[in-house]
Amino acid sequence: MKVSAVRFMLSAVAALAVSGAAAAADAGSGDSDVKVLTTDTFKEWTAAQELALVEFYAPWCGHCKSLAPEYEKAATALKDEGIGLAKVDCTEEQALCEEMEVPGFPTLKIFRNGAPAAYNGTRKEAGIVSYMRKQLLPPLSTLDADSIDKFAKSDRVVVVGFVEDDGAAEHAVLDELAKELRDEFTFGVVTDKELAAKHGVTVPGVAVFKEFDDGKDVFGDEITADALRAFIKASSIPLLGEISGENYSLYAQTGLPFGFAFFNSSETRAELEKQLLPVAKAHKGAINFVLIDADKFASQADHLNLERSWPAFAIQRQATFDKYPFPQDKAITEDSIAQFVDEFVAGSIEPSYKSEPIPDKNDAAVFTLVSKQFNEVVFDKTKDVLVEFYAPWCGHCKTLAPIYDKLGTVLKDNANLVIAKMDAIANDVPSSEPALQVYGFPTIVFVRAEDNAIVEYNGNRSLESLVDFIEENAANKITYNRADLVDDEADDEDDEDHEAEAKRDVEEDAKEDAKEDVDEDVKEDAKEDDVEDAKDDKHDEL
């Protein structure tokens, strides 16, 4: 099974939000500003709304229960602005939800006079309110002296461009970005030089007004889409804020590496702020510096290969999960962290990889691979290599194990072929190759000899299918006795029973996760939560 792009999940977020989920179960009782829709009322109500948001939910869904109180508060905040919020119970209105192509719970859709569109905001009150208010505005609002001050305070982050006139090239760039980023930021434009000077901006220029740090950042370089986009995203987050599951997406959307600073007391937090703030300012736009509560999120430190000793600091890339823990025998000071970050930016330090010890004996039919030997074994161009990445607790992996062992036995006489397995919980994958990033279990990949081309296996998990896959992709000739596959084929019915049992177990676990998991950022179907949790155990988020 595969999962979608990386999501953030600090291990304690769910525990912290349990009480919120419990309270959510009672949400909606009494007076409510959320309209309850049925098949009979849906089309008429949505057609009458200039702008509305509709939640499609299931009463048993844990994500829906967590959303409920936030949705109620957002409905109250928006009702006087002509933005209606409604909900549909998909266990009662199944045909309607099928018609609306609801893929999972909760699903939120925007409606304009009955026409649906995707909702891409967060599931918190502030995020819902901000997102829906943006939908009322044009992508780029024209401002003057009477409107700019109120506009600049209308949202958490507001972008205002100051240009010569509507025909300026900079105006076209602002308009382009405003359309691209309208779901994330509020954009305005001014064509008054005196007003620009009043706000400390030289025309052409851009000011990013915000509710944190110094309140405003000014962009005075050449206004191009790429440069301005990067500046806006870097300016949209605090220089040194505290991170949690609720605000992770604000940082993640920048695509920048994280600099995690772990604190376990108000004293250590204050000292970290003192030492790191100057470094964060110096490297703005290169690294997201964040404070993180070590008492709540100690497991995040584990995944960064840090010992549980505080304070601590580590950098992690978002795209590859590469980790760069700051040596814990050195004091965290402005100078020491500045040097460490400079070396990271320059590419002069190597990432850290968690690895089991290299086995003393490794002559079984299936080679036990560990991180310390990964590149040596997997990228040996004289050999074709098949690797299974597994988790010790994974039901699918346990079902596959005897088949995979038999595969190794059948093909053991091929000197230029390695059948390997790696515990992807106990070992990091020391490669930035996207095809080797493990997001679900089991993941099986083939690395061909000669050119190291990587092919992921997506077939059924039978012995014959695995052999055929290897033969199809191997650079070296593969030999084996076809008769060795017969016994396995005779047991196909038993294998199918095992697969069916494993599937039932996963679906039951997924249903329990759907009832209990309160991570607000997950947008996939609740039945994929077991795989998402596998990724969380591997990467603890990110």
Side-chain angles (χ1 to χ4, degrees):
M1 297 176 71
K2 294 295 292 178
V3 298
S4 64
V6 174
R7 70 169 176 152
F8 178 78
M9 179 66 178
L10 297 169
S11 61
V13 169
L16 291 173
V18 166
S19 59
D26 296 327
S29 60
D31 295 336
S32 172
D33 292 314
V34 176
K35 176 75 173 178
V36 177
L37 299 178
T38 65
T39 302
D40 294 335
T41 62
F42 180 82
K43 289 186 178 179
E44 180 181 357
W45 187 86
T46 54
Q49 308 300 311
E50 287 189 25
L51 179 65
L53 183 64
V54 178
E55 175 201 5
F56 299 87
Y57 75 99
W60 49 260
C61 165
H63 301 299
C64 305
K65 292 176 182 178
S66 296
L67 171 61
E70 302 294 326
Y71 201 67
E72 287 282 349
K73 289 184 286 186
T76 301
L78 292 169
K79 67 177 181 179
D80 293 334
E81 300 178 36
I83 303 175
L85 269 66
K87 62 183 179 181
V88 175
D89 182 346
C90 287
T91 64
E92 296 290 337
E93 313 296 338
Q94 295 182 23
L96 173 60
C97 293
E98 288 177 6
E99 180 184 345
M100 296 309 302
E101 299 180 346
V102 175
F105 306 121
T107 290
L108 299 173
K109 290 180 181 285
I110 292 175
F111 286 83
R112 297 177 186 273
N113 303 115
Y119 170 83
N120 296 313
T122 70
R123 295 179 186 172
K124 292 294 184 182
E125 175 199 1
I128 295 170
V129 171
S130 173
Y131 188 92
M132 295 305 293
R133 282 175 176 164
K134 289 185 181 74
Q135 307 308 306
L136 287 175
L137 298 171
L140 184 64
S141 299
T142 301
L143 308 174
D144 57 24
D146 294 329
S147 60
I148 186 172
D149 290 338
K150 182 178 179 180
F151 187 85
K153 298 177 182 178
S154 64
D155 206 350
R156 178 180 172 276
V157 176
V158 176
V159 182
V160 178
F162 298 84
V163 300
E164 288 282 351
D165 52 53
D166 293 351
E170 295 83 6
H171 188 286
V173 172
L174 282 165
D175 188 56
E176 174 189 346
L177 282 182
K179 291 174 180 175
E180 174 190 333
L181 302 175
R182 68 171 297 167
D183 289 347
E184 299 173 52
F185 307 109
T186 301
F187 282 81
V189 64
V190 172
T191 56
D192 183 334
K193 287 187 177 181
E194 291 185 6
L195 197 54
K198 178 182 175 181
H199 287 278
V201 181
T202 300
V203 176
V206 177
V208 176
F209 297 93
K210 49 190 181 178
E211 297 176 347
F212 48 89
D213 291 344
D214 296 330
K216 181 177 70 176
D217 286 340
V218 175
F219 181 79
D221 296 335
E222 181 183 357
I223 297 177
T224 65
D226 288 344
L228 185 55
R229 183 189 299 108
F231 179 82
I232 292 169
K233 291 194 173 186
S235 295
S236 69
I237 59 172
L239 283 170
L240 187 60
E242 183 172 346
I243 196 168
S244 69
E246 293 182 2
N247 65 4
Y248 169 78
S249 61
L250 295 175
Y251 293 91
Q253 53 92 19
T254 69
L256 299 176
F258 283 89
F260 289 102
F262 289 84
F263 67 90
N264 65 332
S265 69
S266 57
E267 291 77 17
T268 56
R269 177 184 173 129
E271 183 61 22
L272 283 171
E273 288 178 322
K274 176 183 175 182
Q275 300 298 333
L276 296 182
L277 188 57
V279 187
K281 287 182 178 179
H283 291 87
K284 181 178 178 179
I287 295 177
N288 291 331
F289 284 79
V290 293
L291 296 162
I292 181 168
D293 190 329
D295 291 334
K296 296 177 182 177
F297 306 126
S299 60
Q300 179 70 7
D302 298 340
H303 288 290
L304 294 169
N305 297 344
L306 289 168
E307 298 293 331
R308 295 193 178 191
S309 176
W310 323 116
F313 182 80
I315 297 173
Q316 185 172 33
R317 295 190 187 278
Q318 286 198 61
T320 62
F321 303 113
D322 285 347
K323 312 157 190 181
Y324 302 80
F326 180 74
Q328 289 183 269
D329 58 352
K330 297 177 66 174
I332 294 177
T333 66
E334 178 183 340
D335 290 342
S336 65
I337 295 298
Q339 180 181 349
F340 183 72
V341 172
D342 285 342
E343 291 172 351
F344 167 79
V345 172
S348 59
I349 55 175
E350 294 295 322
S352 168
Y353 297 109
K354 177 173 57 177
S355 178
E356 293 179 294
I358 296 174
D360 293 332
K361 187 178 182 181
N362 208 349
D363 55 2
V366 174
F367 185 87
T368 299
L369 186 63
V370 298
S371 182
K372 290 179 179 178
Q373 285 184 301
F374 189 88
N375 291 327
E376 173 190 346
V377 173
V378 172
F379 296 118
D380 180 350
K381 290 191 174 182
T382 68
K383 296 182 179 180
D384 295 296
V385 182
L386 184 76
V387 183
E388 177 209 357
F389 299 97
Y390 71 94
W393 42 259
C394 166
H396 294 295
C397 306
K398 292 175 183 177
T399 301
L400 174 62
I403 300 169
Y404 203 74
D405 287 341
K406 183 73 176 291
L407 176 70
T409 301
V410 169
L411 301 178
K412 66 180 179 181
D413 293 331
N414 291 273
N416 291 323
L417 172 67
V418 177
I419 306 297
K421 63 181 180 181
M422 186 166 114
D423 181 342
I425 302 300
N427 297 273
D428 291 329
V429 178
S431 172
S432 60
E433 289 285 345
L436 291 175
Q437 302 308 308
V438 180
Y439 300 137
F441 301 110
T443 291
I444 302 173
V445 296
F446 187 85
V447 183
R448 188 167 58 226
E450 298 179 358
D451 60 4
N452 286 160
I454 303 170
V455 184
E456 182 174 356
Y457 178 73
N458 291 309
N460 68 68
R461 295 168 189 156
S462 69
L463 178 59
E464 185 171 8
S465 293
L466 286 163
V467 171
D468 289 345
F469 172 75
I470 293 171
E471 281 191 295
E472 179 182 346
N473 291 283
N476 298 304
K477 181 176 176 57
I478 303 300
T479 60
Y480 62 96
N481 185 353
R482 195 77 185 177
D484 290 340
L485 305 183
V486 173
D487 290 340
D488 194 80
E489 290 173 350
D491 292 335
D492 274 351
E493 186 174 343
D494 290 339
D495 291 340
E496 289 173 4
D497 289 341
H498 287 310
E499 288 283 357
E501 183 179 354
K503 183 178 181 181
R504 286 194 298 272
D505 289 344
V506 169
E507 289 176 347
E508 286 299 317
D509 290 343
K511 189 172 182 180
E512 287 303 311
D513 284 344
K515 291 179 179 178
E516 298 175 2
D517 189 351
V518 292
D519 175 13
E520 297 302 333
D521 297 322
V522 183
K523 296 182 181 178
E524 286 73 34
D525 191 323
K527 289 188 177 181
E528 294 183 357
D529 282 355
D530 63 311
V531 186
E532 292 285 6
D533 290 340
K535 184 179 175 183
D536 290 334
D537 285 340
K538 173 66 181 169
H539 300 297
D540 204 26
E541 58 82 16
L542 281 177

